[in-house]
């Protein structure tokens, strides 16, 4: 079956296809009396929006969000949530009418064409239909609401590797994130990526990336062992983003090479009487529960499979064929996954924040 | 809140602490009329059982499973499932009474002690309580049932890296898995691991590992986009295993360094008229749905934090202290995670197999 | 928390307030390749629509439904479901701007004003906001899809009692349902109701009703014991409709007065080799599972609390006050609950139909 | 599929058959640090226990509950919950071995025999298997835990009608509940029931009943509109009890006959500054949310279908047959449903209490 809802107490249900009338979502479980305007959501959407640089798809979408329900102006004249479901609508305005006859029946390698056909016996071939990354705009919109639920929460993301080229972490500067089209915190590497990705773009190829999400202000004690652990929910949320093939928390795969002495984060008391960890190999999560340190997650995004080089494939009737994907695509689809990753992590944390309130009253 | 159930149609609820009376689980949603005996389950449990070599904890647990409900002998004299919940009980027999005063109030670095205290305001300090890896026996038991639901499904796991030392994949031989205490498919590397891990064990240290799970016989079309994708559910299931810090599908983090040409698995028609992929970078999953190729997942397990070297910590009253963990522990806890990983992947696949039947009738 | 989704495999999430921009729903889990047009849904909506007789609210709503996603035209030129979420939108066109100062802060007795204020600390006072019966249009729309999932299913509803006046069941004629404004299967009683309800309407009062839903073509074996029994799910679905205070299956409360001999439905084999029940006291459900007989459910709807007689109340500042509710209201809100009840029962049956397919393959 | 879990945050999963090794449940989501002993649970179990009078089944079950997990003795020496799952085990001790050949293949009219066979293709014929009322012992045990979660909550139940004979509400005295074997609050009627039920019992017949549950101390504001309304969840919980055919809240079906003036509960301010309702037709729930008044629910239990008079039936091979049910049965199974109804209502309220904490922090 299809499953288009995530979250347990903070629940998001998305709908819509790449080339349909509209996409959107219903956010259920948001507490009442939280100030919320369309502008709050729009700011996040604009960071994910296509067409903002030559390094993202040239599809032109305003991605303008409308709030259909769940808010009202209170006695103080502030628009706030009412506790009822918040429906958000984003109309598709640039679902360019074009000739799909070339790809209608063929399975594009690396795309979900073959698997959707296997699962559903039918698929919306226009722009990837439901499997298009366009769907993630709804997640970003939901994430904007999630961010408002947890006081003091700050979730930021960055591109830390493009192709085989990782950033230099000693140059990490959050202020750089908004200064280049890659969400890259390393200014030097951003300059390199510019020419590197130009080459890939011009050759009609594509490349993968690794993103990192850092959530600060996560209270200690969030997580729902044994099967909705904070890290398990983050893993699910990030792996569920289009084109993601790996997720790690804290030292991640690197922790396999560590000894017990190296890996365990020692503790002291801080001057403020607050427990202090001397390192954060754990990425802010132990036993599925937040430690109060920053939650650190990374995820790997494969290169988009839409490339100009012909590839071998078959069509739905079993005939062998070649295919190449013309049109508007991201040479490094990982770039725009940064705000999506932030949104997903924010949604998971908001969900667990509410669960914890249930437990602790 | 606590959350001790996983799965949507094939649902597993586990209970029990390391040093309590018993652990176990309730498996709900298993179709009726499937042959099932305690022996079927026991075989898998025995592969995870502690104390089978000097490389795993010396705790002696028979791990004998009893089926309390959900089966009956049918008219043909075969014990089968009835469609009602299958309750499984495993008594704790070696929860050795010992003096816990040294660790009762102190937080062991790298363990879930601090976070359970933050979350619940109370924690069962005896052997890690609910956060003990002992809980995973229940998952292995459930997985044994899951394996019987999907015809032709074969889920196997292997250790592919210990510390910084990866196996040589060209020597991969599944038959070796049962020939060494490491579930290692590379005989040469298994010999190396033996002396390597002996050194670590004798020094009272520990080391991490990477495991790989391969599921063959997964029908094409399994997965529930957008938010219960097959890979997202596997990521959640594996990340939720104790001490896991990273999960990847197919090429995983390696795919970040690939170009679109390298990454996308091309297709041809096989001689048998069945679609054929020319490679499996995707690890058997595209757009969250199985392709029919083997599903390949890897996960990284950090070194156990129970080591003989004293570490800095605090206690629950805020006093600073040193701590070292004596007692029975796994020098490489990743080893015994192999059957657990298999079980979790089997449970996820069984769940999606049932979901697909719902969709397709 | 708020909870605006129902169903396990066939899942409906609704949104929207009485006087907001729009209402609507997202239907998730509908199998693919089912023919579906807006007209299919509109037909059901038109049966629930306000303003069609003098016996329902004079609010004028076109209740025109738009399908935003989840369908496409297949290779045969037929618009069908794709297996992805179906978003439905119904714009509010007659949310007449008026002066709410009289009821903004006062709690209307019998309405949800006080309880929404207690729960959320804020409430949308315009037309009842989210608690308005207007929300049920979304359910009717979802029900129209549900009806298409189960082959041969026919769900019909009827008004069987208005105030203290029950119909004569010996005169039951389904063809009468569409011949009077009450969904009444007893033509004689319908004539009586006309003058009876005119009296109530003119006096500014209101009256309750009992509705009966009959689902034919329900396959034997549907239901998910122990806690999602077919009757338990129907009870929840019907009790969740606005103003409903009671639900019964088969003989319902009448069965309390029966002896075991009278109550148990005896069985014979039909001439067609199909098991035959000699009566249907059970209302088509035994042990929470369908018998194959018609599923029969009744529910009681209280009189709408919007009346012209002043009632004692308080306001949200604790001041005592009188209140009377002017404006457009249903003198017997039970009437329009008939298509809503049908829709809810259809949704429950569709959900269990899909669950059963999961079990039986 | 089968579905043996109920609740959203306070979740109960039950298992076990009438004549298996044991029954029991796993209670997940109970907040930590709540004092809990087996004795607390036993007290409620003893009220439901069979064999305590000649008016209930003569099966002799100690119904002794064991807590397998989820509690520990805290620093103050008090056994408390830890926030981890609480597994409860009740062994079957009197599952008398007997000859089932007479009923093994025949469907007992009014029982779930036919429907279980239709659904699962197999059924445990011994004592009704999973569909036996014995399963409700697990619910009563879970309810004992639920009662401890909501401060000040008091949930009591009573038998208010046996066969066609209702009690006189003007004689309602809660103290009488424990003074007769019927949980009857009307002493005079209890005396009548004694001879009345003796007659039924001796004739090998059975009779239905109506039970009423009253929950006091329910805070205003509990309930999760639109689809997990407090009354909808209670309706589901009560309808899901074995043999229940109807549920009503407050005036229930009686409200159909009321006018808007009669039905709406007017409000004033109490001397204590707390809002006061002048009546409780609503049964403590408006718009799916608690008002703070007592929550009042009634449910109808059909007569047990196990009677000594032969009834017409068929067997699973399609042969027509007669059947009569010898053995140990309740002449009025409704009696022992009183503590079960209490438990279910307590569980629903506890679940919503936790949900509300999530919302309000």
């Amino acid at each position: 079956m299809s499953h288009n809802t995530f979250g347990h107490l903070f629940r998001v249900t998305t709908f819509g296809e790449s080339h349909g009338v509209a996409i959107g979502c219903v956010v259920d479980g948001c507490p009442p009396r939280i100030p919320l305007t369309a502008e709050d959501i729009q700011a996040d959407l604009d960071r994910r929006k296509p067409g903002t640089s030559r390094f993202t798809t040239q599809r032109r979408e305003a991605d303008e969000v409308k709030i259909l329900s769940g808010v009202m102006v209170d006695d103080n004249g502030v628009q706030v949530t009412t506790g009822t479901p918040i429906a958000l609508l984003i109309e598709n305005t640039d679902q360019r009418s074009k000739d799909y006859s070339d790809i209608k029946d063929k399975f594009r390698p690396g795309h979900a064409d073959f698997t959707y056909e296997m699962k559903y016996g039918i698929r919306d071939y226009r722009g990837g239909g439901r499997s298009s990354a366009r769907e993630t705009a709804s997640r970003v919109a939901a994430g904007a609401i999630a961010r408002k639920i947890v006081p003091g929460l700050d979730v930021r993301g960055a591109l830390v590797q493009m192709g085989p080229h990782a950033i230099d972490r000693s140059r990490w500067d959050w202020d750089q994130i908004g200064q280049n089209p890659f969400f890259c915190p390393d200014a030097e590497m951003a300059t390199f990526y510019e020419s590197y990705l130009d080459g890939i773009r011009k050759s009609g190829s594509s490349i993968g990336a690794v993103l990192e999400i850092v959530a600060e202000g996560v209270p200690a004690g969030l997580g729902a062992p044994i099967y909705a652990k904070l890290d398990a929910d983050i893993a699910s949320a990030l792996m569920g983003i289009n084109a993601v093939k790996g997720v790690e928390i804290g030292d991640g795969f690197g922790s396999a090479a560590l000894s017990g002495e190296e890996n365990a984060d020692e503790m002291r008391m801080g001057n403020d009487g607050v427990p202090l960890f001397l390192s954060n190999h754990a990425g802010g999560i132990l036993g599925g529960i937040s430690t109060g340190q920053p939650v650190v997650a990374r995820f790997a995004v494969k290169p988009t499979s839409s490339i100009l080089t012909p590839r071998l494939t078959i069509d739905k009737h079993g005939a062998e064929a070649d295919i190449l994907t013309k049109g508007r695509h991201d040479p490094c689809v990982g770039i725009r996954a940064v705000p999506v990753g932030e949104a997903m992590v924010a949604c998971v944390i908001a969900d667990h924040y509410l669960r914890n309130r249930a437990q602790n009253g």
Side-chain angles (χ1 to χ4, degrees), chain A:
Chain A
M1 303 298 294
S2 190
H3 201 121
N4 295 278
T5 298
F6 69 94
H8 194 65
L9 285 180
F10 182 80
R11 280 184 305 281
V12 179
T13 302
T14 71
F15 63 87
E17 286 85 35
S18 174
H19 284 53
V21 181
I23 61 169
C25 63
V26 182
V27 176
D28 198 9
C30 182
R33 303 188 310 277
I34 294 180
L36 180 71
T37 64
E39 289 69 38
D40 295 332
I41 301 169
Q42 196 64 49
D44 275 15
L45 278 175
D46 289 346
R47 296 177 64 231
R48 194 214 71 100
K49 201 164 66 172
T52 54
S53 82
R54 68 182 183 276
F55 301 111
T56 60
T57 170
Q58 293 309 298
R59 177 169 177 169
R60 293 273 161 197
E61 283 291 353
D63 273 0
E64 196 181 326
V65 68
K66 283 180 204 158
I67 304 181
L68 297 182
S69 65
V71 295
M72 72 176 294
V73 177
D74 70 9
D75 288 352
N76 303 315
V78 179
Q79 181 166 298
V80 297
T81 60
T82 60
T84 60
I86 303 166
L88 304 177
L89 193 76
I90 302 169
E91 287 176 33
N92 289 328
T93 55
D94 188 23
Q95 69 279 43
R96 199 176 291 188
S97 133
K98 67 167 217 183
D99 180 9
Y100 289 103
S101 56
D102 189 48
I103 63 160
K104 182 174 168 300
D105 291 347
K106 289 184 198 166
F107 304 126
R108 293 168 301 163
H111 278 290
D113 297 351
F114 174 71
T115 52
Y116 267 67
E117 190 78 36
M118 285 296 101
K119 181 174 180 64
Y120 297 114
I122 187 172
R123 82 194 145 86
D124 190 340
Y125 45 82
R126 299 164 301 170
R130 180 73 180 148
S131 71
S132 165
R134 178 138 190 76
E135 184 270 344
T136 59
S138 299
R139 309 192 199 191
V140 170
I145 299 175
R147 290 173 193 267
K148 297 180 141 257
I149 290 175
V150 188
L153 177 67
D154 187 17
V155 183
R156 292 181 291 185
L159 181 146
V160 298
Q161 183 183 325
M162 187 187 292
H165 309 289
I167 62 161
D168 180 338
R169 288 179 165 264
S170 70
R171 290 192 299 248
W172 191 297
D173 176 5
W174 281 113
D175 289 341
Q176 289 299 319
I177 299 290
Q179 308 299 317
N180 60 67
F182 311 112
F183 299 99
C184 178
D186 171 352
E188 250 178 70
M189 212 57 196
T191 307
F192 169 79
Y193 289 155
E194 196 149 343
S195 58
Y196 174 70
L197 195 53
D198 255 337
I200 288 165
R201 184 174 60 85
K202 287 173 182 164
S203 70
S205 184
S206 65
I207 196 72
V210 177
L211 299 319
E212 181 166 320
I213 308 294
V214 179
E216 294 178 279
V218 180
L222 299 198
I226 298 292
Y227 298 115
K229 287 177 173 171
L230 186 58
D231 40 6
D233 276 9
I234 289 174
S236 173
L238 294 179
M239 191 68 93
I241 298 173
N242 310 47
V244 173
K245 300 304 284 183
V247 180
E248 53 185 15
I249 305 290
D251 280 6
F253 278 88
S255 63
L258 298 181
S259 69
E261 291 78 8
E262 294 164 327
N263 176 70
D265 303 309
E266 295 184 296
M267 299 184 76
R268 294 280 89 178
M269 287 305 290
N271 292 332
D272 52 358
V274 172
L276 188 74
F277 288 90
L278 304 184
S279 54
N280 190 13
H281 296 286
I285 303 176
L286 284 173
I289 306 172
S290 61
T291 63
Q293 293 182 282
V295 169
V296 181
R298 269 179 307 285
F299 59 111
V301 180
K302 70 178 185 183
T304 179
S305 304
S306 300
I307 49 176
L308 286 178
T309 310
R311 310 298 294 162
L312 304 178
T313 192
I314 60 173
D315 70 16
K316 71 179 181 183
H317 309 294
E320 299 190 339
D322 281 9
I323 192 165
L324 65 81
T325 316
K326 291 176 199 155
R328 306 166 298 178
H329 294 287
D330 293 276
C332 178
V333 74
I335 297 172
R336 291 203 292 138
V338 170
V340 182
E342 293 174 8
M344 295 308 286
V345 169
C347 287
V348 170
I349 290 171
D351 194 22
H352 281 281
Y353 177 77
L354 296 177
R355 286 172 175 233
N356 252 42
R357 293 209 304 202
Q359 174 197 278
N360 297 318

